[in-house]
Amino acid sequence: MREFTSCEHLAIILEAITTASTELSQQIRGAGLHNHILGQEGRVNVQGEVQQKLDVLADRTFIQTFLGCGIVCGIASEENDEFVAFDNEVSRNGDFVVMFDPLDGSSNIDVNVSIGTIFSVYRRVSAKGSLPTLKDMLQPGTEQVMAGYVLYGSSTMLVFSVGKGVHGFTLNPATGQFCLSHHAMQMPENGRFYAMNEGNILECEEGLVRYIKYCQSRENQTGMPYSGRYIGSLVADFHRNLIKGGIYIYPVVSSAPEGRLRLLYECNPLAFIAEQAGGLATTGRQRILDVIPTHLHQRVPYFVGSKHMVEKAMAFLD
Ligand code: AFP
C-alpha cells in the first residue's frame, strides 16, 4: 500500500476537524431550542471547572472523529484528566497526537456569545505501533506541525496554519463546505484594542497596571485611548485582534498564580497562528512556543496579539 505524504496526513486530520466542527456548529446554532444540550453537565473537570453539556458533547465528537481518522494515535483535551491513547491496531500506527480545547469560552454557551474549538497537532516521538506516551503530549509549541481554531461566531470559521502562513475558511451552511475566505492572513503590527479581564486589575503586578493605564491614555501611538474589548472567549478575542490588530492579556493574578490559560491546547496553538501571521505570543517574559511543558494541564500567563503591542506591554514588566 502506498505511504501517505505528510501533506496528505495533515489533510486527513484537517478533514476530521471540519467534519466534527460542522456537526458541532449545527448543534450550537440550534442550542437555544434544545434544552438537553444547554446548561451544566453536573461534573467538574480536572481544572476544577464545572463542565457544560456542550463541552462534553464537543469533546466526544472530536475524540470519535480523531479515533476514526486512523492516523491519530492519541489526544489530550481540557475535558480529560489524562491523555487518551487510541488502543487499536490502526491508531497505534498513527503518526500524530492532537491537543485540543473542544469548546473554549464555555461560560458564554448559555448566553449565545461566540465560542470556539482550538487544536494543535504534533508528530509523535514514541515508536509507531505502540501506545502514545506522555512525552508525545509534552512537546514544546515549536514542534507543532499544524494548529488552528474553529470559531462559532456570526459565521463558523476555520483558521489554521501548517507553518506556511495562516488561512481562514468560512463554513457555507447551505452546502456544509468550508470555503477559503481569508487568504494569507496577517495580524496588523499595531492596533487600538486591548482585551483583558479588568476585574482582576487590582491583583496584577505593578508594571502591567502601568501598561493598562498607558493603553487608556493618549500617550500610545494612536494619540487616543485604546478601546477595551473583552468577550471572555479567548478564541473570539484572539480572532478580533488577528483581523483588526490588538492585544489579549491573561496575566498572573492571585486567584490564578500561574496564569489561567492552558499552555498545550489554548496558548500554544494560538501562539503558532499569531507568529505565522506576524504577531507575537509570550508569557510576558518568554516566547510561548519555547516553554517546555511539564504537565498536561499546565497554565501560563499569556500576552498575545499585534507584535508592537506585545513588545510594548513586555517593556512595562520588570
Ligand atoms: P474554557 O475553555 O474553560 O471555557 O476557558 C475559557 C477561558 O480560558 C478563555 O476562553 C477566556 O478568555 C478565559 O477563560 C476567561 O476567563 P475569566 O472569566 O477569568 O476572564
Side-chain angles (χ1 to χ4, degrees), residues 1 24 40 60 123 126 151 160 169 189-190 196 203 245:
M1 214 170 82
L24 195 59
Q40 297 179 354
R60 281 193 201 131
R123 196 171 276 280
S126 59
L151 175 63
F160 78 97
F169 294 74
E189 289 195 330
N190 248 318
M196 184 186 140
E203 308 212 337

Side-chain angles (χ1 to χ4, degrees), residues 49 78 101 104-106 197 230 232 234 248 250 260-261 266:
E49 294 161 352
E78 182 181 347
D101 180 350
D104 171 68
S106 354
N197 182 343
Y230 188 70
L234 166 66
Y248 174 97
Y250 210 113
R260 177 184 154 95
L261 302 182
E266 291 181 315

Side-chain angles (χ1 to χ4, degrees), residues 73-95:
C73 59
I75 62 97
S77 90
E78 182 181 347
E79 305 308 331
N80 294 278
D81 302 5
E82 310 292 340
F83 71 88
V84 180
F86 294 157
D87 193 4
N88 65 66
E89 206 186 322
V90 176
S91 300
R92 272 200 301 269
N93 281 296
D95 261 326

Side-chain angles (χ1 to χ4, degrees), residues 213-257:
K213 286 206 174 114
Y214 162 86
C215 292
Q216 297 166 339
S217 74
R218 289 174 184 268
E219 283 157 34
N220 64 62
Q221 88 287 352
T222 65
M224 293 288 287
Y226 292 157
S227 290
R229 292 276 188 283
Y230 188 70
I231 297 168
S233 294
L234 166 66
V235 67
D237 281 308
F238 176 86
H239 187 71
R240 187 197 47 246
N241 291 339
L242 173 61
I243 290 183
K244 298 199 168 203
I247 183 169
Y248 174 97
I249 302 172
Y250 210 113
V252 163
V253 290
S254 48
S255 55

Side-chain angles (χ1 to χ4, degrees), residues 56-280:
V56 177
L57 179 79
D59 194 49
R60 281 193 201 131
T61 307
F62 277 96
I63 291 179
Q64 283 312 314
T65 319
F66 289 133
L67 178 61
C69 84
I71 58 167
V72 172
C73 59
I75 62 97
S77 90
E78 182 181 347
E79 305 308 331
N80 294 278
D81 302 5
E82 310 292 340
F83 71 88
V84 180
F86 294 157
D87 193 4
N88 65 66
E89 206 186 322
V90 176
S91 300
R92 272 200 301 269
N93 281 296
D95 261 326
F96 299 91
V97 293
V98 185
M99 244 59 63
F100 63 98
D101 180 350
L103 219 44
D104 171 68
S106 354
S107 66
N108 283 325
I109 293 174
D110 287 358
V111 292
N112 208 350
V113 171
S114 300
I115 46 183
T117 299
I118 310 175
F119 61 89
S120 175
V121 182
Y122 293 82
R123 196 171 276 280
R124 73 188 298 175
V125 288
S126 59
K128 252 174 112 153
S130 60
L131 290 177
T133 67
L134 189 57
K135 264 193 171 171
D136 295 316
M137 312 291 160
L138 299 184
Q139 300 186 54
T142 45
E143 298 304 309
Q144 291 172 103
V145 292
M146 179 165 75
Y149 57 88
V150 180
L151 175 63
Y152 312 101
S154 47
S155 52
T156 296
M157 203 177 156
L158 164 72
V159 174
F160 78 97
S161 176
V162 293
K164 294 191 168 101
V166 176
H167 305 289
F169 294 74
T170 302
L171 178 66
N172 179 343
T175 62
Q177 276 182 321
F178 279 91
C179 306
L180 180 63
S181 51
H182 296 63
H183 176 68
M185 298 173 85
Q186 279 292 312
M187 189 177 254
E189 289 195 330
N190 248 318
R192 53 178 198 86
F193 294 106
Y194 73 101
M196 184 186 140
N197 182 343
E198 279 189 83
N200 290 327
I201 196 74
L202 299 180
E203 308 212 337
C204 296
E205 63 180 294
E206 205 199 306
L208 182 56
V209 177
R210 281 192 282 112
Y211 174 69
I212 296 298
K213 286 206 174 114
Y214 162 86
C215 292
Q216 297 166 339
S217 74
R218 289 174 184 268
E219 283 157 34
N220 64 62
Q221 88 287 352
T222 65
M224 293 288 287
Y226 292 157
S227 290
R229 292 276 188 283
Y230 188 70
I231 297 168
S233 294
L234 166 66
V235 67
D237 281 308
F238 176 86
H239 187 71
R240 187 197 47 246
N241 291 339
L242 173 61
I243 290 183
K244 298 199 168 203
I247 183 169
Y248 174 97
I249 302 172
Y250 210 113
V252 163
V253 290
S254 48
S255 55
E258 288 163 357
R260 177 184 154 95
L261 302 182
R262 275 57 53 114
L263 174 64
L264 291 180
Y265 42 79
E266 291 181 315
C267 302
N268 266 340
L270 298 186
F272 189 73
I273 296 288
E275 287 198 7
Q276 284 293 318
L280 214 56

